[in-house]
């Protein structure tokens, strides 16, 4: 029983995965499937019932009518012999029964002609009807080249009766009309459903686009909520959330402006007091170092908290931006190599992004002697790799370096470890552009910084 349960579970998972792969990925596709599938199943069911019941009954009754008329002609000819009576009977068949009849004297049908098995739908009904009406007669059925009529050859004692039946007597054209109307109405309903669903999908796409742009830090105008009630509620909730976040950012910026003023003023007074102290005092040198460290920490914190909200997004030449950044780094004595494609453009905040790359290069230059930058683009994203030949960062500490004021160097020496905000600012800038930043092992033995930005 346990083995059977495992097999059933595996079968269920395989079936569920197969069905999941067949399902459309988009909401529009799944909505269309919900609309189309019932209509298609209904058409198949109705068509099956119609063909199995209605059309089969109609075709059988029409065939029985033709077979009855042919049997009546043969019975009248047998009951009233003679050329005059035969001519009258054939005229009645042609005029009133609408049968093109003629008698071929002395003709014999080949043996086994009534045993043919490759009859079509209509011919098979006619064969069954003739066997019921003329059980003792040999016959043969064929159609002309244009499929406009059916030719019956019935063996008589003195010859063969040829009957040509028009297809209108054996076939009901209402069948095609019914199918055409059913298909036409289904297509019209499908078109209306497609138009309605497309209009419903538009506000969802609009909301998704606005959320993506706002997540990248771009300016998003308020748009009028439209669509279903649930979509309107989601759009209004997005607008409220956007304004709350913008209000929070504004309040943070104003608070930091006040912090900047309040902290810099006492630091300036402390500098003046230290300048008035006599030279050679060891406490003065220690206090001067502490004041410089405090000033750097305050500036670093303000740079981190200020973020990038004040700068507008604009289309930027990435190649030129990296070339300028690398050139400035080389002026400062860094050994930096650059590999980038030409004419690569994307929408970013150029100043904050350049500051982010500069921070990463400065961090790498503290521990490495050579740095390599590789820029490449795919169909959907921009990939930036920064490798160095330094000691790297242990894998279990790579997440910690993005924490504010975290330093791998246990000492608090600003000259060797900085303020601990460089990687935090870099991550804040990359996330503000809707991208991701991660750390890994460099082929050169040091640290690899990988940045991915959406294009």
């Amino acid at each position: 029983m346990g083995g059977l349960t495992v097999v059933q579970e595996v079968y269920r998972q395989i079936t569920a995965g197969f069905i999941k792969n067949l399902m459309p990925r988009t909401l529009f596709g799944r909505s269309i499937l919900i609309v189309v599938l019932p209509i298609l199943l209904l058409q198949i069911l109705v068509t099956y019932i119609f063909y199995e019941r209605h059309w089969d009954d109609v075709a059988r009754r029409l065939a029985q009518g033709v077979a009855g008329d042919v049997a009546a002609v043969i019975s009248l000819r047998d009951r009233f012999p003679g050329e005059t009576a035969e001519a009258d009977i054939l005229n009645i068949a042609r005029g009133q029964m609408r049968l093109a009849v003629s008698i071929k004297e002395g003709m014999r049908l080949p043996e086994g002609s009534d045993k043919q098995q490759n009859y079509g739908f209509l011919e098979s009904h006619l064969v069954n009807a003739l066997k019921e009406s003329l059980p003792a007669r040999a016959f043969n059925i064929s159609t002309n080249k244009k499929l406009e009529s059916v030719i019956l050859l019935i063996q008589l004692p003195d010859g063969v009766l040829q009957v040509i039946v028009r297809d209108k007597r054996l076939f009901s054209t209402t069948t095609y009309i019914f199918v055409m109307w059913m298909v036409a109405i289904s297509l019209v309903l499908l078109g209306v459903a497609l138009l309605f669903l497309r209009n419903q999908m538009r506000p969802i796409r609009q909301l998704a686009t606005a959320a993506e742009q706002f997540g990248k830090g771009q300016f998003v105008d308020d748009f009028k909520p439209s669509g279903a009630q649930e979509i309107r509620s989601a759009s209004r909730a997005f607008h409220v959330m956007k304004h709350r976040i913008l209000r929070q950012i504004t309040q943070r910026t104003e608070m930091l402006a006040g912090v900047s003023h309040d902290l810099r003023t006492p630091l300036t007074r402390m500098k003046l007091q230290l300048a008035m102290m006599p030279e050679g005092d060891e406490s003065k040198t220690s206090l001067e170092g502490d004041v410089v460290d405090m000033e750097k920490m305050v500036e670093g914190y303000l740079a981190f908290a200020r973020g990038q909200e004040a700068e507008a997004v604009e289309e930027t030449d990435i190649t030129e931006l990296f070339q300028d950044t690398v050139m400035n780094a080389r002026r400062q004595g860094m050994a930096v190599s650059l590999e980038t494609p030409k004419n690569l453009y994307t929408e970013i905040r150029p100043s904050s992004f350049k500051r982010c790359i500069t921070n990463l290069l400065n961090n790498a230059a503290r521990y490495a002697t050579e740095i390599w930058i590789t820029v490449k683009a795919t169909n959907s994203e921009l990939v930036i790799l920064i490798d160095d030949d330094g000691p790297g960062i242990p894998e279990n500490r790579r997440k910690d370096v993005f924490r504010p004021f975290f330093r791998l160097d246990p000492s608090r020496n600003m000259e060797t470890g900085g303020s601990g905000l460089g990687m935090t600012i870099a991550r804040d800038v990359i996330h503000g552009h809707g991208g991701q930043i991660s750390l890994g092992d460099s082929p050169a033995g040091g640290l690899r910084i990988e940045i991915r930005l959406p294009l």
Side-chain angles (χ1 to χ4, degrees):
M1 292 296 292
L4 182 60
T5 304
V6 172
V7 172
Q8 291 176 345
E9 180 64 22
V10 172
Y11 175 76
R12 186 188 65 81
Q13 292 180 359
I14 294 175
T15 305
F18 179 74
I19 295 176
K20 185 177 180 181
N21 292 332
L22 292 179
M23 289 290 291
R25 299 293 182 184
T26 62
L27 178 61
F28 181 75
R30 295 187 179 187
S31 301
I32 291 298
L33 185 63
I34 293 174
V35 174
V36 172
L37 193 58
I39 295 178
L40 183 61
L41 293 177
L42 180 62
Q43 283 192 352
I44 294 175
L45 182 61
V46 170
T47 304
Y48 174 77
I49 295 175
F50 180 82
Y51 274 86
E52 286 292 321
R53 302 290 182 180
H54 177 75
W55 199 21
D56 187 74
D57 291 343
V58 171
R60 184 175 65 256
R61 291 176 182 178
L62 291 176
Q64 290 174 350
V66 172
D69 292 343
V70 174
V73 171
I74 295 176
S75 299
L76 289 173
R77 185 176 180 276
D78 294 340
R79 182 176 298 182
F80 303 102
E83 295 182 0
T84 303
E86 181 180 302
D88 293 337
I89 293 171
L90 296 181
N91 289 331
I92 292 173
R94 296 186 187 102
Q96 298 182 7
M97 299 179 182
R98 292 180 295 173
L99 299 175
V101 296
S102 61
I103 297 177
K104 297 183 179 181
E105 302 289 344
M107 181 179 176
R108 303 292 299 179
L109 293 177
E111 294 293 335
S113 59
D114 57 341
K115 304 296 183 182
Q116 190 175 359
Q117 299 296 327
N118 56 348
Y119 291 128
F121 175 77
L122 297 177
E123 291 84 350
S124 62
H125 281 290
L126 186 57
V127 167
N128 295 331
L130 289 174
K131 288 181 179 179
E132 294 176 0
S133 301
L134 303 170
R137 304 281 184 178
F139 60 85
N140 185 17
I141 298 178
S142 61
T143 57
N144 63 350
K145 295 181 179 180
K146 296 183 179 180
L147 302 178
E148 295 177 350
S149 59
V150 179
I151 302 174
L152 307 179
L153 298 177
I154 304 167
Q155 186 65 60
L156 301 177
D158 55 348
V160 172
L161 176 65
Q162 176 179 286
V163 182
I164 301 176
V165 185
R166 299 288 296 178
D167 58 350
K168 293 181 180 180
R169 290 211 56 188
L170 295 172
F171 181 74
S172 176
T173 57
T174 57
T175 302
Y176 288 135
I177 295 175
F178 171 77
V179 174
M180 290 175 61
W181 269 103
M182 185 171 62
V183 173
I185 292 175
S186 299
L187 292 177
V188 171
L189 293 177
L190 181 60
V192 173
L194 288 174
L195 182 61
F196 176 77
L197 289 175
R198 187 177 294 276
N199 291 333
Q200 292 300 311
M201 293 301 110
R202 186 178 296 110
I204 297 178
R205 295 193 188 97
Q206 186 181 31
L207 178 60
T209 302
E212 182 180 5
Q213 291 178 349
F214 186 70
K216 295 178 181 179
Q218 301 177 8
F219 179 77
V220 180
D221 291 325
D222 289 343
F223 56 88
K224 182 180 179 182
S226 60
Q229 183 176 359
E230 293 79 5
I231 303 176
R232 291 172 182 262
S233 299
S235 300
R236 286 190 288 267
F238 171 77
H239 289 159
V240 173
M241 178 197 69
K242 183 190 72 171
H243 289 296
R244 286 176 179 173
I245 294 175
L246 293 176
R247 184 167 59 250
Q248 182 182 8
I249 293 174
T250 302
Q251 291 175 352
R252 185 185 69 173
T253 304
E254 293 176 352
M255 179 189 67
L256 292 177
V259 170
S260 174
H261 180 270
D262 294 341
L263 290 180
R264 286 176 178 174
T265 301
L267 284 175
T268 303
R269 287 201 301 266
M270 292 173 65
K271 285 183 178 181
L272 291 174
Q273 291 177 1
L274 288 173
M276 297 174 64
M277 292 178 63
E279 296 293 338
D281 192 347
E282 294 182 0
S283 61
K284 175 182 178 181
T285 305
S286 178
L287 288 175
E288 285 179 346
D290 291 341
V291 170
V292 172
D293 291 346
M294 290 175 61
E295 191 173 19
K296 287 184 178 180
M297 291 180 63
V298 170
E299 293 294 337
Y301 177 73
L302 292 177
F304 162 69
R306 190 183 303 115
Q308 52 194 346
E309 66 275 359
E311 186 180 3
V313 176
E314 59 184 60
E315 188 173 5
T316 306
D317 187 348
I318 297 296
T319 304
E320 184 178 354
L321 184 144
F322 271 93
Q323 289 175 350
D324 293 342
T325 305
V326 169
M327 188 177 299
N328 293 333
R330 288 171 180 171
R331 291 194 189 101
Q332 298 175 12
M334 301 182 192
V336 184
S337 301
L338 175 63
E339 180 182 349
T340 178
K342 295 181 179 180
N343 300 324
L344 181 59
Y345 290 86
T346 187
E347 292 185 351
I348 60 173
R349 297 180 181 87
S351 297
S352 61
F353 188 77
K354 189 174 183 179
R355 184 169 63 250
C356 165
I357 301 300
T358 301
N359 285 344
L360 295 177
L361 293 179
N362 291 334
N363 287 341
R366 288 193 182 99
Y367 307 100
T369 57
E370 191 169 358
I371 304 171
W372 296 268
I373 301 178
T374 304
V375 181
K376 52 186 177 181
T378 64
N379 293 331
S380 59
E381 60 183 2
L382 176 69
V383 181
I384 303 167
L385 303 176
I386 302 177
D387 297 308
D388 61 56
D389 58 354
I393 298 177
E395 186 175 357
N396 59 345
R397 307 296 298 275
R398 289 173 183 171
K399 292 184 179 179
D400 296 334
V401 298
F402 291 109
R403 290 162 46 192
F405 300 107
F406 178 83
R407 298 172 58 196
L408 290 174
D409 183 8
S411 70
R412 304 304 298 175
N413 188 354
M414 293 293 177
E415 299 299 329
T416 60
S419 63
L421 289 172
M423 297 298 293
T424 308
I425 295 174
R427 185 189 60 176
D428 188 48
V429 172
I430 298 302
H431 285 181
H433 286 81
Q436 295 293 330
I437 181 172
S438 60
L439 306 181
D441 295 325
S442 171
L447 181 67
R448 161 170 283 189
I449 302 175
E450 182 177 351
I451 300 173
R452 292 182 177 269
L453 296 176
L455 288 178

